Amino acid sequence: MTALLIWPSLLLWHPTIEFMVESLTSEAVWMEHLQNIPAWDLPNEPILLIAPHPDDETLGAGGLIAAARLRGISVRVVAVTDGENAYPESDASQIDALRATRIQEQTSALSCLGVSSDNIIRFGLPDSALQTCQEELVHKLLSLVTVDTHVLAPWQFDFHPDHRACGMAAEEVARLKNARFTSYFFWTWHQGSPTQVRQLALRTFPLTASLVLAKAEALLCHESQLQRAAGDPILPEYLLAPARRSFETFLVA
């Protein structure tokens, strides 16, 4: 994740302001809405998962990644940014240090989910500025996708501008390559509402106890986002309820 600024029903990154995100919809309301969503099983196709920031892959689809690897399905993760601007008041040396930390955290987390470091593709695009790199992002992704690829990316309306940029670019590439495309969610659970997704073809992917545990262990690897010596972390405990569900939710195209 990286810092966001809430403004009535809009979620934007701001380079100088840090704040606590508050959920507009409770977890109980979401659980009531999602309990009747049809279940979905994972297609047996190689996965290319697009992660705007280190931790997005774990938060939105960690259980699915672990399940895919247990089934022998190939999973490659595109780390679009290194998440270096998570704390916008940082100076240059702190930004560089956080970049290195988050790269290692993501590598460790994906190892917990069964993805080796040589299956992580790092683009190194600027954190919190992906809307300025849309064409470059599409170009980079085109070389990684074939008709047999299952592309997973954040929902293109998932509030954070980096998530939106990744979702739009990935969907365009999947369309151009005639590849399967699936969207995952995170900020929607906090800044969206059931009304906004009611008409979508949502599906739930059930997680076994072992998959929930693997996802929890992966999440703990992202320590820089969960704890902070000075100030509030990006991911305080109260934002993690959606990541602890016994299922994950996807928009299946």
Side-chain angles (χ1 to χ4, degrees), residues 19 22 42 72 125 162 194 202:
F19 68 102
E22 293 186 5
L42 184 62
L125 295 179
D162 282 354
L202 297 182

Side-chain angles (χ1 to χ4, degrees), residues 93 134 180:
S93 64
Q134 196 78 21
R180 186 187 302 272

Side-chain angles (χ1 to χ4, degrees), residues 227-240:
Q227 302 177 36
R228 196 175 179 207
D232 297 309
I234 295 298
L235 292 173
E237 180 60 33
Y238 70 85
L239 290 182
L240 297 179

Side-chain angles (χ1 to χ4, degrees), residues 61-71 75 112-115 210-211 214-215:
L64 180 143
I65 293 171
R69 294 303 301 126
L70 286 172
R71 298 183 191 184
V75 178
C112 291
L113 300 174
V115 179
S210 61
L211 293 174
K215 183 175 180 177

Side-chain angles (χ1 to χ4, degrees), residues 116-246:
S116 62
S117 59
D118 57 355
N119 282 306
I120 304 172
I121 303 162
R122 298 199 178 278
F123 284 175
L125 295 179
D127 180 15
S128 305
L130 291 182
Q131 65 271 28
T132 68
C133 308
Q134 196 78 21
E135 290 187 12
E136 182 179 3
L137 183 53
V138 169
H139 177 73
K140 286 178 175 289
L141 289 174
L142 277 170
S143 66
L144 300 174
V145 176
T146 71
V147 68
D148 299 318
T149 307
H150 183 186
V151 181
L152 281 92
W155 185 42
Q156 63 175 286
F157 300 106
D158 201 28
F159 294 90
H160 192 300
D162 282 354
H163 287 218
R164 294 185 180 200
C166 286
M168 288 188 289
E171 186 169 23
E172 180 178 353
V173 169
R175 177 181 57 79
L176 291 171
K177 295 287 189 171
N178 198 28
R180 186 187 302 272
F181 180 72
T182 299
S183 300
Y184 65 88
F185 302 83
F186 182 70
W187 286 112
T188 298
W189 309 132
H190 298 296
Q191 296 303 307
S193 70
T195 300
Q196 292 170 300
V197 300
R198 197 175 303 279
Q199 302 304 315
L200 300 181
L202 297 182
R203 298 292 183 268
T204 57
F205 182 70
L207 303 181
T208 63
S210 61
L211 293 174
V212 171
L213 179 60
K215 183 175 180 177
E217 290 177 347
L219 184 56
L220 287 175
C221 294
H222 295 286
E223 186 176 355
S224 69
Q225 308 304 285
L226 302 173
Q227 302 177 36
R228 196 175 179 207
D232 297 309
I234 295 298
L235 292 173
E237 180 60 33
Y238 70 85
L239 290 182
L240 297 179
R244 304 197 192 285
R245 294 170 183 164
S246 60

